[in-house]
Structures are given as C-alpha cells and as structure tokens.
Amino acid sequence: MNQKPGKKAILPLLLAAASPLAGTADAALPAAAPLARVLDEGPVDQALALLGPGPLTVGPYRLLRELGAGGMGRVYLAESTGPVRRRVALKVLREGLFAPEFAARFEEERRALAALEHDHVVRLFDSGQDADGRPWLALEYVEGEPITTFCDRRGLDVEARLRLFVEVCAAVNHMHQRGLLHRDLKPANILVSERDGRFVPKLIDLGLASRTGAGDAEDAVVGTPAYMAPEQLWLGTAELDQRCDLFALGLVLRELLIGARPARAVPLDVLRQATLRERPLPSSELRGLGGEAVEVARQRASKPGRLARRLHGALDRIVQRATAVPRGERQDSVAALASEVERDARRHSAWQRARVVLTVGACAAAGGFVAGVLAGMPG
C-alpha cells in the first residue's frame, strides 16, 4: 500500500460515530428562534417549550423525540401529519453544514437509499428541505438493537448468529450489485428486531455510502476507525472496492463469535500501524481470555471448551481470511464470504445429526446387549 501524504484529513469522528444526543437548550433562546437553531440547541421536548404551543414539524412530519446524532445529521422519531399516519426516522442535516460537500454527501445518501430495495436495508420513504433550507430524509423507523447486543442479550448460540450474519451479507451484497459501498459497517449500523418470532436484521445509516470507483471531493478518510479496512486509511476513495465492506463484516463476525471488539486507536498514524497487524485466530483469542471466556461462552449458550472447538477450523479460517490486511487475500466478494459461512453451518449441522444418530444407535445396541444378557440369566 502506498501512503498519500498530505492528501487526506481524518474525519471518522466527525462523520460517522453515532452517539446519543446530549446537551440542553439555551434558556435565553427566544421563542421565535429559527427552527434549525432550536433543533440543534437541545432535545425536542425543550425545543417545543421554547417555541410555545403547537407541534414542531419538519416538512409533513411532526417530531416526537430524538433518536441519535452523527457528524452530519440529527435523527428524530417523527410521525407523518397526513391522512396516512406513519412513524419514521427523520434525518436532518445539522445547522452550519451548508458547505457543498456536506449537501452532496446528504444527496448521495438519498440516491443510495432510493436505489435499494431489500428486506434487510432500511427504506427511504420521503425527502425534502425544511423551512431553513436544510435537506431531510424520512426513513423506515427500525426499533431494534445493534446485532451484537441483540445476540448477547438473548444468549443466541453460534448457529443462530451465523444465520443472522448471512442475512446481513445478503443486504450488503445487494448494495454491491448496484455499485454501492456502505463504508461504515459496524454493529451499531446493523439493527436487529424481533417480528412474529423472527429475528430481522436491517442495515441503517448509509451516510457514507458511495459509488464504487467514485472519489470524495476531499478524498478524506471517512468511516468508524475501529471497523475500517486498512486500505481506507491509505488509498483514495476511488480506489476502494467491495472488499473494504467485506473486511468490516469480518470484524463484525469476529465480534459475534467471541465478543472481541476492535482496538479503537484514533490518531491516524497509530491507527495505520494498528491495522497492519494480523489478529489472532478467534479460537486462540477465546482461549486467551481466561475467566472472561466463561461469560463469552455463556452468552453463546455454550462453554469455553465447546465454543473453542466450534470455532477451530473453518470459522477460524473464514474470519482470518475476511480480515486479512492485504485485500487480495480476502474472499472475492461478500457473497463468497456468506457462502463459506453457510457451508460451514451445513457441515456442522450434518455432523450434529450424525452424532445424535450414532449416540441413539449406541444406546440402543447397549440396551439390546443388556436385555440379551438378562434374558440368558437363570431365573
């Protein structure tokens, strides 16, 4: 990889890291303040109080409460005010980000969402501009949890986690087939909810999505540092391909399997060096956790030794390959990654069935032997 000194500015914390909204409204803010300023000053309920009676609206949507905020936008739970009532996640560009590159990024997200139609990708319902000229997007409201949190809270075993992961891969592959890169895949951007007894994952936040081969105006380093592929720190965005998303998915899979979160180094030079180090195999890392391995295994409905045996072999190799530093050593595509995971899951399932059959057969044979012995004994 060749470094391009002086050409990049690190913006991952500015553009990607989602965090809960915080802060309070300025008590001296006049009730007649522009809507944009009020929204950016504090929570919706305080903004309502400042603006006086009547609903706080953006376009045809009434804001209910805040959901979160990132570097470029704030997201609110909102409800349509028309005859058809629908709750949406309303994303509004932050005040002060009217520079062309931010407006272009928001427009790119809108185009990316409009091009996608998949059960596991958040849907775009509507878009427009508010009274202050800020663009907004009305998105499907997903009432879910990050995939790792969802799995851990429910104690899902490895097989259930792999099934969810394969569905996530299908959604990312859908993007890739349409020439789009997500560029910010991480557990927080993969929400899972339960519907009619089914676990449904959804990709959210396409704020950094880009066309394959398209470069950013400033060619900046964008993404969440802990999940970025090494080449995202070294190459221009026009040189990236779907293997940067594949790398991030490999880290998500690793986290699903053993709970290991990537190191969160922030300075660019330190981060670049960290990404050049190969990670240990998941089964080896699990064994190195000591007492923590008991809790990790418990969250996966297993025990440390049994979980390590499940990971050893194919799953170790799959994760290691997906997170290889040289991108040429990774799987060719996200579809290929999903295929490898499914193939391993089928082999494991077949082995489990065979073991049950062998166990039952052995028990039956032993029972027959004992019955024969007893029958031959004198009364």
Side-chain angles (χ1 to χ4, degrees):
M1 299 181 194
N2 296 320
Q3 184 177 359
K4 297 186 177 181
K7 195 178 179 187
K8 294 176 180 281
I10 187 161
L11 298 177
L13 299 183
L14 172 62
L15 295 182
S19 61
L21 288 176
T24 57
D26 184 351
L29 190 67
L35 175 61
R37 183 182 169 197
V38 172
L39 290 182
D40 284 315
E41 285 290 338
V44 170
D45 54 354
Q46 296 186 33
L48 286 170
L50 289 166
L51 290 175
L56 187 58
T57 62
V58 173
Y61 296 94
R62 179 170 61 90
L63 304 185
L64 303 177
R65 62 181 173 86
E66 296 144 311
L67 296 175
M72 286 204 317
R74 289 183 180 270
V75 183
Y76 304 92
L77 176 63
E79 186 177 60
S80 58
T81 56
V84 179
R85 292 300 176 94
R86 169 189 283 159
R87 287 197 166 186
V88 301
L90 195 78
K91 184 173 183 178
V92 185
L93 185 67
R94 280 182 183 270
E95 185 189 37
L97 297 184
F98 287 107
E101 59 267 27
F102 292 110
R105 169 58 53 205
F106 219 76
E107 174 61 15
E108 186 65 27
E109 181 177 6
R110 187 197 66 77
R111 289 179 180 175
L113 287 163
L116 301 173
E117 188 174 348
H118 193 278
D119 289 342
H120 300 309
V121 180
V122 68
R123 288 179 292 167
L124 174 68
F125 292 134
D126 197 2
S127 62
Q129 290 187 342
D130 67 10
D132 300 293
R134 293 191 304 175
W136 54 262
L137 304 173
L139 308 168
E140 177 184 3
Y141 172 52
V142 181
E143 198 167 4
E145 296 176 288
I147 186 169
T148 47
T149 305
F150 184 93
C151 291
D152 288 351
R153 283 166 59 90
R154 287 161 179 77
L156 299 189
D157 63 17
V158 168
E159 310 317 310
R161 290 166 185 250
L162 292 181
R163 286 193 292 272
L164 274 176
F165 181 76
V166 167
E167 292 184 327
V168 172
C169 285
V172 178
N173 189 55
H174 177 76
M175 291 188 64
H176 290 174
Q177 288 176 332
R178 282 148 185 79
L180 293 168
L181 303 178
H182 190 286
R183 296 203 300 167
D184 195 25
L185 291 168
K186 56 186 177 182
N189 284 342
I190 306 169
L191 299 186
V192 183
S193 56
E194 187 171 356
R195 298 182 188 174
D196 302 322
R198 282 190 63 238
F199 300 153
V200 182
K202 287 271 188 182
L203 287 187
I204 66 167
D205 197 351
L206 274 65
L208 298 183
S210 68
R211 296 260 166 210
T212 306
D216 286 330
E218 297 297 327
D219 208 15
V221 176
V222 294
T224 300
Y227 295 89
M228 290 167 72
E231 62 268 23
Q232 286 181 263
L233 300 168
W234 297 86
L235 300 178
T237 53
E239 300 171 79
L240 299 179
D241 60 26
Q242 59 186 254
R243 287 172 293 183
C244 68
D245 283 347
L246 194 151
F247 181 93
L249 285 173
L251 292 181
V252 171
L253 177 58
R254 184 187 194 88
E255 199 167 332
L256 284 170
L257 294 177
I258 61 171
R261 289 164 175 76
R264 282 159 166 73
V266 174
L268 188 54
D269 55 343
V270 176
L271 186 59
R272 280 178 170 148
Q273 292 304 314
T275 59
L276 295 178
R277 294 195 293 269
E278 295 285 358
R279 294 168 175 80
L281 295 173
S283 61
S284 299
E285 190 166 353
L286 177 69
R287 292 188 180 99
L289 291 177
E292 294 179 27
V294 175
E295 176 61 15
V296 169
R298 185 195 66 78
Q299 291 175 331
R300 288 148 184 81
S302 187
K303 294 183 178 179
R306 190 170 69 195
L307 178 58
R309 288 192 296 273
R310 175 67 185 95
L311 302 180
H312 181 71
L315 285 177
D316 270 345
R317 291 191 295 271
I318 290 168
V319 174
Q320 185 182 42
R321 190 177 175 198
T323 57
V325 170
R327 59 179 177 176
E329 295 180 9
R330 299 173 204 157
Q331 291 87 346
D332 292 334
S333 65
V334 170
L337 169 61
S339 179
E340 289 183 8
V341 171
E342 287 182 302
R343 189 159 53 247
D344 174 71
R346 286 196 298 270
R347 278 199 299 260
H348 180 75
S349 178
W351 164 243
Q352 290 292 90
R353 288 195 300 270
R355 193 169 70 171
V356 169
V357 170
L358 288 172
T359 302
V360 171
C363 290
F369 174 77
V370 171
V373 170
L374 292 175
M377 293 178 65

